[in-house]
Structure formats: structure tokens, C-alpha cells
Amino acid sequence: MQADIAHKEAQLAALRSRRQRQARTRAIRRLVAAVVVLLAVGSLVVAGVYAGSPGTLPSGVSIAGVDVGGLTTKEAARLLERKAAALASTPVAVRVAGHTFRLRQAELGIRVDWAGAVSAARSKSDGFGPIRGFRRFFQELFGTTVTATARADGHGLALALDQIVGSVGREPHNAAIKLEGLRPVVVPGRAGISIDRTAAQKELLARFADLSRAPVVLPLSPQPPQVTTSMLASEIASVRTAVSAPVDLQIGSGIGSVSYRLARWQLASMLRPPSGGADEITLGGKQADAFFLRLEKALNRPPEDASFVVSGSSIRIVPDLPGRVLNVPRTVANIVRAALSPANRTAVIVVETKEAKRTAKDLQALGVKELVSSYTTEFGGVPNRIHNVQLVSHLIDNTLIAPGATFSFNRTTGDRNASKGFLVAPVIINGELSSGLGGGVCQVSTTVFNAAYDAGLDITARTNHALYISHYPQGRDATVNYPDVDLMFVNDTKAWLLLRTFVSSYSLTVNLYGTSPHRRVESVTAPLVATGHPPTQWVKDPKLPKGTKEIVEAGSPPLSTSVHRKVYSADGKLLYDNVWYSRYDGVKRVIHIGTKKPAKPAGPTGPTGPTGATGPTGATGTAP
């Protein structure tokens, strides 16, 4: 019985103890929750207080030692740029081995990215409101320092370091091989002393980026050569082999087998042993350049394009001729390879074929095989005019016109100016015969027009002369003036057309070669009629008596004519029905009218002559 009571009391005690522990756990949880809530609220309050404006930098931020807290990014960048500008003329002293070099930022081409530094500072404090607040809280608590980046544009910094090295340092010299006559010897290398250029560059960029002008001290350190004497043992043996015997040169490639021997002294004069870190033997220098230049002059031959040769109405193709060109790099490699061989000392000179741009096959495909039309005009005049006719004829000679293409006289000749050799000769200017640059060109354009006219081609631009010229075919003259007045026709045949000119001392012939479409051309020329009276020019002439007149130039009336051309195809179809009208200005009739007044008759003389006349002098007394 007592045991049961004791057991129940123990159970009650355990229950009370468990309830007490549960009560304490609930109290602790409520306390923790309250603390967490308080911390969260406090954090939000702190974040809200320190979040600030996203457009400004937080307090405690410095860039290159400058406090930019509370400034906008633009304000911070302008502040840093002003401070940098104030230091622009202040140099940084670079001290090396007792020497001082004063370097300025502008001379070195150093650019500091202040805007980038401000952006980097801002990125450390950016974020959503509460996050930005926490970041800025810790930045203000511990502070933030941002380092700007700098770069060197151009070669200013490298040149400054070169100057420093040249003044206080010494470049290392690699061991090299040189030839003393035919004997190769090794020139030992030499250690140098210099600064660490990479470290020096970083130090200077950092100095200008932190707005500091504190001196920079650069230490000197030894610089061993990259190539030593021991490293050239195999190379000097190769050089000995190279100059040990002559090298025979073999020329082939369709030129005919030709041999030439390079003597040992010639090889030695052209040989370039390993030097400057290079481990290959090659050829170079003035002697090598002169040698290969002589080879090129002897072997090179430019290719010749296929061409048309005409004789009257016949035409044939002269085949193209391939050219030759010396391949200098491959030939050099062959000579070096032979020189380094103890046994096989023959080198092949590599000559390559250079094809012509236009082959006989290309010309055959053009379809130029017969005479399509021809026209001849005769000319004369002063030597300058004959010279211009010959010059412009050569400019249009050998012109190829593709099917469907338009021939333009102006586009083919270009500007006809003195730089091309044109001379001053008689020419029609503003309807009057005068002198001008290029007189005689229209003789050629007129001949070309008539060749196209008789060929039955589509003539799209033609202008008659201002004055009628009797030695041109009536109504079939064609004037040109660069660049506005042109002669143009279309090659409306199925083959190419070749325009050829043939000039003698008194005549010009223009031939068009191609594949004749066998067109029939009918032409009717209207009479040349006067359309008015000659324009008259009256000139006062003080040498002619007043009231008289004299015809100095008879002049001529304005004239007009036309030509009517019909072009039929080989099967009789009418292709073109054209009429070209020509209207010519009249030549001025020049009449001189006299303006000279008649002479006054002489009056009586003596003592009683007219007023102003004087009688005998010295007479005295009275009349009887």
C-alpha cells in the first residue's frame, strides 16, 4: 500500500517537473521571438536610416584619398577631375641609381578612369533599399577606399622608360656569330643592367592614379643575355659548312638549263649568321639585295596580254605570252639548304609562271572577228589642231564595248586638258570661231558618229556644231565638250565591238570590228536651207569718211538640215527610224561705217586776212 502511494507521488513529481520545463521552454521561445522581432525592426530602421538616395555615394567612401561621401556620381567625378587637373603640371620624380627623371602625366599619355572609379564605389553600396542600407551602414562604420585604374595611351610611357634605361642602364648583348673573311667566330655575349620595366610601369600608373606625386624609386638589376657562347656551338659548325665550298645554282622551268656558281666569298658576303636571339642562318644585306635584283632583271618577264591585230577589214588574235617571276623567298631557302649540306651543294632557282590577264581564249569569246563599219574624214589646219586629232584618237583607240554597253566619248577620253598634252587650236566658242584648248577633237567625234551611223547602231546622244562646217558630211557632224556635251551609242549587237582609229597626216579612219549583224542602213539628207539673214555687226571706223560703209566680213545666214536614217535587220525588220536635225548659227556680217569728218577748206591770207591771221611784220608808216 505504501509502495503504491510512493509510486504515485513520484509520478506526480515527474509530471510537475515536466510541466515546469515546458513552461520555461515556452518562455524562452517567446523571449527569442521578441528579440528577433526587435532585431528585425531595428535592422529595418537602421537600413532605412542609412539607405539614403541611390544617386549619392555613402559617407566614408574615398577615392584616391579624396572623400567623396554624400556626392552624386557626377559631382564625385568632377571633383576628382578638378584635383587631377590641378596636379597636371606637377611631375613625379623617378629616382634610379642617383639619377632623377621628372615625368609629367600628359607627356606619358596616362589617362585615369575617374568615372570608372566612382562607378565602382557606387556598385559597392547599391542594391534594393534595405540591402543598400546595410551596405552603407557597414561602409560608414568601417570606411571604403577605392583605387582608380590608369592606362597609358600611345608610346609616351614606353619612350620615357627607354630614356631611363638608356641613361642609367645597359642593354644585354647576346652572343653572336660573325664572319672574318671565310672564318666564322663567336662574339661573346655581355650582361646588361636595367630596371624592371613591367614593375616600373605599374608603379607609375598607380602613382598617377592615387593623385600622389611622391617620388618613385626604381632599383637596377642585372640582365643576363638570352644567347650565350655555349648555345652557339652547333650554329658555328653550320656556318663553317655554309662557307666551306661554292654553291651551284640551277635554273630551269622552261627557260633552258643554266648553271651559275656562287663562290665562297659571295656566300660569305650574303650570309647572315644567327644573331639577336635568332637561331637560323639566312641571306641578307646589301650584297644579297644586289644579287637577287640582278637575278630578277635577268629572269623576270612581264606577261603580255592577247591582243587584236587588224589590217583593213581583216582581224586576227595575237596569243598571250605568259610571264616569269623569280620567287625570292623559295630561292633563298634553297640556297641556304644547299649551303648547309656538306655533300649536295646545288640549289634550284625557283622561277614561277605569271599568266596574262587576258588570254587568246578570252578574246575569242568576245566574238570580234570581222569589220562591222568604217568611216574616214580628212582634216588639215595648223599643227596644233593635227596634234589634238592624233592625241584624242589614241585615247579612244582599242576601246572594247560589251554587248548592251554604251560607248561614251567623254567617259572614254576623260577631261581633255593641258596635262594630257592637248594644245590650243581653232575651236568654235559661243557660236564664233576662236582659239581654245583641244581644237580638233570634234573631227574625231564626228568620225566616230559616222562609223556608228553606218553600222546601224543605236545612237543615244549627238549634238551638231554651232556653225556649219562644209568639210564634214552634211547633217552628220557631232561636237563634244567635256563633261556636258557627249557622243554616245549602244552596242546592241550580240558580240563585243572593238573601236580602232587610224590617223595619217591628213585623214582619220574609225573602224568598228565585231560580228556583223548585216544590217541595212538607208539614209536621206534634207537640203541645207537658210533660215534667216546673217546677223550684222556695225563697227564705227574713224579711218573711213563719214557717210561711207565697207563690208569687211560677208557672213552667212543661219542654216538647217536633217538626216533621216532607217536601219533594217538582216531579215528586213525595221529596227530604227531616226531623224537628226541640225541647226547652225549664222556667221556675223561685219560692216564698218565711216566716222571721219571732212577736212576744213583753207581761208585768204595777208594783212587783212581773217581773225587770227597775221600780215607781214616790221612794216611802218601809212598807206599811200
Side-chain angles (χ1 to χ4, degrees), residues 296 299-304 321-325 354:
E296 288 178 325
L299 300 176
N300 284 8
R301 183 186 68 197
E304 296 180 12
L321 181 63
R324 296 192 303 259
V325 60
K354 187 174 183 180

Side-chain angles (χ1 to χ4, degrees), residues 184-496:
V185 296
V186 175
V187 179
R190 186 186 66 184
I193 185 170
S194 183
I195 61 173
D196 185 335
R197 295 175 67 98
T198 302
Q201 180 171 325
K202 290 181 179 179
E203 183 71 18
L204 284 169
L205 290 175
R207 187 70 80 242
F208 285 104
D210 64 5
L211 296 176
S212 172
R213 294 300 185 265
V216 174
V217 179
L218 299 178
L220 286 172
S221 58
Q223 303 291 322
Q226 294 181 346
V227 180
T228 62
T229 301
S230 61
M231 298 169 63
L232 295 177
S234 61
E235 283 76 7
I236 196 168
S238 297
V239 175
R240 288 195 188 98
T241 300
V243 296
S244 63
V247 168
D248 293 325
L249 304 181
Q250 192 74 30
I251 307 175
S253 186
I255 305 173
S257 182
V258 179
S259 296
Y260 180 80
R261 172 162 289 188
L262 273 178
R264 295 173 65 195
W265 65 268
Q266 286 180 293
L267 278 172
S269 68
M270 296 190 295
L271 209 63
R272 288 295 174 265
S275 62
D279 57 358
E280 292 184 357
I281 298 174
T282 186
L283 303 182
K286 294 181 179 179
Q287 297 296 331
D289 292 342
F291 173 76
F292 285 105
L293 182 61
R294 291 194 300 270
L295 270 183
E296 288 178 325
K297 288 183 178 179
L299 300 176
N300 284 8
R301 183 186 68 197
E304 296 180 12
D305 289 343
S307 60
F308 291 108
V309 174
V310 299
S311 177
S313 61
S314 65
I315 183 169
R316 64 184 180 87
I317 295 175
V318 176
D320 56 290
L321 181 63
R324 296 192 303 259
V325 60
L326 174 68
N327 189 320
V328 175
R330 289 181 59 189
T331 301
V332 168
N334 288 348
I335 294 175
V336 172
R337 189 182 303 112
L340 296 179
S341 173
N344 183 13
R345 298 184 68 83
T346 299
V348 175
I349 294 179
V350 182
V351 178
E352 297 176 344
T353 299
K354 187 174 183 180
E355 298 296 335
K357 293 182 179 178
R358 180 174 291 167
T359 65
K361 185 177 181 180
D362 294 333
L363 294 190
Q364 290 170 356
L366 302 182
V368 179
K369 59 184 181 181
E370 59 189 332
L371 181 67
V372 176
S373 70
S374 177
Y375 204 86
T376 300
T377 59
E378 295 183 353
F379 60 84
V382 299
N384 282 8
R385 184 180 190 277
I386 297 173
H387 167 83
N388 291 337
V389 170
Q390 294 172 337
L391 180 58
V392 76
S393 296
H394 291 314
L395 289 178
I396 65 172
D397 190 26
N398 278 310
T399 298
L400 279 165
I401 311 163
T406 297
F407 169 84
S408 163
F409 193 92
N410 284 342
R411 191 164 57 245
T412 304
T413 66
D415 188 8
R416 299 175 286 273
N417 51 43
S419 66
K420 290 184 177 179
F422 286 92
L423 303 176
V424 173
V427 64
I428 298 173
I429 300 176
N430 296 326
E432 295 183 357
L433 189 61
S434 182
S435 293
L437 192 66
V441 171
C442 294
Q443 177 89 34
V444 183
S445 59
T446 293
T447 312
V448 172
F449 168 77
N450 281 277
Y453 186 98
D454 285 352
L457 300 175
D458 183 14
I459 300 171
T460 55
R462 172 262 176 187
T463 304
N464 63 273
H465 287 78
L467 300 179
Y468 178 71
I469 302 174
S470 59
H471 64 264
Y472 288 155
Q474 181 179 314
R476 289 171 57 173
D477 57 313
T479 186
V480 289
N481 183 53
Y482 189 88
D484 49 344
V485 180
D486 202 357
L487 167 67
M488 294 188 291
F489 64 84
V490 178
N491 175 13
D492 55 358
T493 71
K494 296 181 179 180
W496 287 65

Side-chain angles (χ1 to χ4, degrees), residues 170-185:
R170 183 179 68 245
E171 291 290 340
H173 288 282
N174 292 322
I177 300 174
K178 73 173 185 178
L179 284 165
E180 293 181 352
L182 295 175
R183 186 172 66 92
V185 296

